Every structure is written in structure tokens, then in C-alpha cells.
Amino acid sequence: MDLRSNDPLWPIKNALSHSYPSLRADISSEIVIIGCGITGALMAYQLLKEGRKVIMLDKRDVANGSSAASTGMLQYEIDTPLHELIEQRGLSSAVSSYKNCEKAITDLKKITEEIKSDCGFEFKKSIYFCSSKREIDFLKKEFECREAHGFKVKWIKKEEIEKLGLKAYAAIESESGAIIDAYKFTQDMLAHCSKNGVRIFDRTEVSSIKENNDKLTITTTGNFKIEARHIVHCTGYESTNTLKEKVVNLKSTYALASETFEKVPKPFKTHIFWNTSSPYLYFRITRDNRIVMGGGDVDFKNATKRDALLAKKERALQKEFTRCFPNIEYIPDYAWAGTFGETDDGLPYFGKPDPAKNEHYILGFGGNGITFSVMGMEAVVHSINNTPHPFLEYYKFGR
């Protein structure tokens, strides 16, 4: 499956900083991670700290799937608003999910410092705004729910938010948000793991997985074999090819990066933005003063149809930007399309679909893929050790 098209900004900026070989021999390891994007890199990092022997595989160049297309906005807010998630999943699961996404942002910052990643991590306040009067009541309900459960939020009226340079009727300002170059971080994380003993093989595609007693045997398209006790699937939306259960609906999404601004426009000095529209729009600044925005989601049918819409979506997104930020001239420099997935409740899937098999999945779907992946670091250890953990209950298969 093509997860993205055209040229996202991040690989062009960072080029190919590290290179890894393809698999050319039969090997073995305690754990094999399939997928060398940001999720796989975080799992390898955690398992390395646990003293485990790990091999990583990717059918592409590393970090060149969804991680290359990510816009790198970090939020604790989940695609499903908190007051709706409480109704869907109950108070404990919903509030815990929001709280742990918030914690994941700080945890990720600590990891970037530990591995000395030059990925431009920067804390920002988050603005969740509505562009129509009819959405004010919905937004107010969400604000009151978050405030009641201890989140640091502020209600911003129309006059105040327009002073910031955003045209909107109301907004929730949250203290917890951040930005990151997800592609650069993933490359830095993989380099750290490789340096410390993780064996990484790219351009190595899995053709089959077979179970024999307590061992799993992976066969690649090059007809090489890897024997392992555990397999961790970090393949994101491509997991639809290996899972029996339908857990996600695939969507096509579109993103733009502007030309570089001489100075950071006022609204973007301290904030990231997203709105209540469905599908929602989102906006952030980069280290080199480009504004990245995304949205325009539609149901995914195939990569060809997704990519055929790119020019139309580019024009539509540029128009939406001008509507939201009328005082900022937006000149697109890069445009790209990607595929992502939505779950019914906006939450990830962690653990083993089949309790009898040592195949584990860490799938951080939706707009919170990165923060969910940070949470998955904790879950994967318990899944492999076969020990209970709240995440393995809240985000289990068959829920």
C-alpha cells in the first residue's frame, strides 16, 4: 500500500541520514519488530532498555511510510472529544486516555534529550477553535468537561482570539501541546537503537509468518528466514493486510507546507491550531518558518484516486487557511497526500489479537499516532511478558 505521495517536506529537508542493509541471510532473535517508522523505533528503544534482543524490518527505506508524511503536531486531545469518549468508553478509559496522551508529550521530550535528537521538539499551546456559531455550544460542552477533569484549559471568546490573528467564534486554549519533526526524530531514534545493538534491515518485505511450537518463523520475499519468539507489528494502516478483525477505516488526507516566512507570523509564535470541523483542519509552524497545514480528509479508495485529488485539495486548503488567518499570505511550496485510519472511538489498538500467538500489535491510529505510540512503549513490554496492564484492557482487540 502506498501510504503517501508526492514529496513531503521532511525527507527533502533531512535527506537520507542513515542507511541500513537488506536481509541477505537466515538469522534469529528474541523479538522482531516489523515496521521501521516512529512506532517501531519507539518500541525498539523501549525493548532495548529492557535488555531484549531485537531485529527490525521494513519493506521500504526506514521512516519512509507514514512517518515521512506526518505533520508532527503533538496533542493530548484525541480525535473523539472527551465528553463523547466518556459516553462511548466510560469515564475511566476516556479520562485516562486523555491524561496519558498529555503525559506522552512530556515523555517524548525526555527521549529526544536522552538520544540528543535534533528534531525541533518545541512545546506549544494548543488552540481548538470553531469557525461557525452553531459549533459554540459543542465547544463549550467540551471545555466544561475537560475543566471538570483537571485539564489546564482556558475559554477564549471571539474578540480575544481575533486579537491573536485567528478568525473564529470561540476556542479552547490548552497548555499541553508540542511540535516535532517526526521523520528526523525517527531517523535519530533508529540510529541510536542501531548503535546500541538493534539490527535493522530495510527493503526487506515479509511474505509469510508461520508458528511452530513456541517459535515464529518469518519468511521474506527474498526467501530468507528469521526465527523469533515474539513479533511486534508496527505497520500502522498496513496492518489491515494481516489482521482478521476490521479495526480501522482508511482515509485519504492532504497536507501543505508554505514557503518560508522571514519572521514567524504572530499566531504561530506560541500556538498550534485545529478546529471543530469534520474533517478538521490543523496548522503549525516549522523550525525554518514554514506553516504546515492539513485536512480535507475523504474515504480512501486507492492511491491513484487519492493522488488525483491533490491539486484540488491544495487549492481548497489554501482557501481555508486564508479564511482562518486572513492577515497572513499563504504561498504553498510543498503538497502531499497520505493515508491514515480512524477507529470508531478514536483510540489505538495494543496487544495480541490472538491470545494464543506471540504476535503483538502497537497501532496508534488517528491524529494522535505519535502520542499513542509513546504510550505503546509501556504496553508492549506487558504484552510480551503476558502481564496485565490498563492499556491492554482499554485498547484491546475485540473491544
Side-chain angles (χ1 to χ4, degrees):
M1 180 186 297
D2 274 336
L3 295 184
R4 60 175 178 83
S5 68
N6 252 20
D7 295 317
L9 172 66
W10 320 109
I12 294 170
K13 283 181 70 224
N14 298 298
L16 191 62
S17 55
H18 298 89
S19 181
Y20 302 94
S22 60
L23 183 65
R24 306 301 301 167
D26 295 344
I27 55 175
S28 64
S29 182
E30 180 189 9
I31 300 167
V32 173
I33 296 173
I34 301 175
C36 295
I38 193 168
T39 305
L42 286 165
M43 297 314 108
Y45 170 83
Q46 182 62 40
L47 293 169
L48 189 63
K49 292 182 73 172
E50 298 286 326
R52 305 298 186 116
K53 299 297 183 183
V54 178
I55 286 172
M56 300 185 72
L57 309 175
D58 200 300
K59 70 179 185 180
R60 304 177 180 84
D61 290 323
V62 299
N64 265 266
S66 295
S67 297
S70 170
T71 50
M73 276 178 54
L74 305 176
Q75 300 163 273
Y76 73 87
E77 297 107 321
I78 293 165
D79 288 352
T80 303
L82 180 59
H83 69 273
E84 293 181 359
L85 191 59
I86 290 171
E87 294 177 1
Q88 285 183 260
R89 296 301 311 280
L91 183 64
S92 178
S93 175
V95 175
S96 170
S97 296
Y98 267 69
K99 290 286 186 183
N100 281 293
C101 275
E102 186 173 42
K103 178 178 178 293
I105 298 172
T106 302
D107 289 346
L108 188 61
K109 172 61 172 175
K110 292 176 182 176
I111 295 171
T112 66
E113 292 172 345
E114 181 178 335
I115 68 169
K116 297 180 173 59
S117 174
D118 182 28
C119 60
F121 184 104
E122 184 179 352
F123 287 110
K124 297 278 188 181
K125 293 181 180 181
S126 174
I127 294 284
Y128 183 37
F129 67 94
C130 61
S131 297
S132 68
K133 289 183 179 179
R134 65 177 180 274
E135 294 170 332
I136 295 175
D137 290 344
F138 161 85
L139 195 63
K140 189 70 172 180
K141 185 176 181 178
E142 177 67 6
F143 167 77
E144 292 170 350
C145 183
R146 292 191 200 176
E147 188 178 47
H149 292 289
F151 293 96
K152 294 180 180 179
V153 290
K154 176 183 176 183
W155 182 255
I156 305 180
K157 296 180 180 179
K158 184 175 186 290
E159 297 77 14
E160 186 178 355
I161 198 168
E162 290 191 347
K163 286 180 183 178
L164 187 62
L166 170 66
K167 188 174 181 180
Y169 283 92
I172 301 171
E173 182 184 75
S174 296
E175 291 291 323
S176 301
I179 56 175
I180 191 173
D181 181 335
Y183 179 82
K184 183 64 168 66
F185 173 74
T186 304
Q187 292 283 6
D188 291 346
M189 176 67 82
L190 291 171
H192 169 85
C193 290
S194 177
K195 182 179 178 181
N196 287 278
V198 175
R199 289 182 287 173
I200 301 174
F201 301 94
D202 64 8
R203 303 200 180 196
T204 299
E205 187 170 359
V206 174
S207 61
S208 69
I209 299 172
K210 293 184 179 179
E211 185 180 25
N212 184 18
N213 296 324
D214 63 341
K215 297 288 186 180
L216 293 161
T217 300
I218 295 171
T219 302
T220 72
T221 53
N223 205 32
F224 297 105
K225 298 185 185 302
I226 309 168
E227 193 174 78
R229 290 191 60 199
H230 298 272
I231 294 173
V232 181
H233 294 265
C234 300
T235 49
Y237 318 119
E238 289 184 309
S239 62
T240 55
N241 298 326
T242 56
L243 286 171
K244 293 180 180 178
E245 179 185 353
K246 187 179 186 300
V247 299
V248 67
N249 299 309
L250 296 184
K251 299 283 185 176
S252 298
T253 191
Y254 301 86
L256 303 180
S258 73
E259 291 186 355
T260 299
F261 288 86
E262 186 175 338
K263 294 181 179 180
V264 177
K266 179 183 175 182
F268 292 89
K269 289 181 178 179
T270 53
H271 291 83
I272 56 177
F273 302 87
W274 64 305
N275 71 359
T276 55
S277 300
S278 183
Y280 59 83
L281 301 167
Y282 50 94
F283 315 87
R284 60 157 289 193
I285 197 74
T286 67
R287 279 192 292 179
D288 57 345
N289 295 351
R290 300 175 188 270
I291 294 175
V292 171
M293 70 169 297
D297 307 343
V298 294
D299 290 338
F300 175 82
K301 293 182 172 58
N302 58 61
T304 301
K305 290 186 177 180
R306 177 198 65 196
D307 298 348
L309 288 173
L310 185 55
K312 179 180 178 181
K313 291 292 184 177
E314 178 180 349
R315 292 190 295 271
L317 287 174
Q318 186 178 4
K319 184 177 180 181
E320 288 290 347
F321 181 90
T322 301
R323 189 163 73 95
C324 294
F325 299 96
N327 298 321
I328 301 174
E329 183 182 14
Y330 193 96
I331 304 173
D333 208 9
Y334 296 91
W336 63 95
T339 300
F340 80 105
E342 290 182 339
T343 59
D344 290 340
D345 53 15
L347 298 177
Y349 279 84
F350 297 159
K352 298 198 289 186
D354 183 348
K357 291 184 179 180
N358 285 331
E359 289 192 61
H360 315 263
Y361 284 76
I362 302 295
L363 304 174
F365 295 122
N368 293 75
I370 297 175
T371 51
F372 284 152
S373 294
V374 175
M375 292 164 60
M377 295 166 63
E378 193 173 339
V380 75
V381 174
H382 286 274
S383 187
I384 288 172
N385 291 339
N386 200 29
T387 52
H389 191 276
F391 292 169
L392 297 177
E393 180 62 28
Y394 292 154
Y395 314 130
K396 66 184 179 182
F397 290 87
R399 64 176 184 255

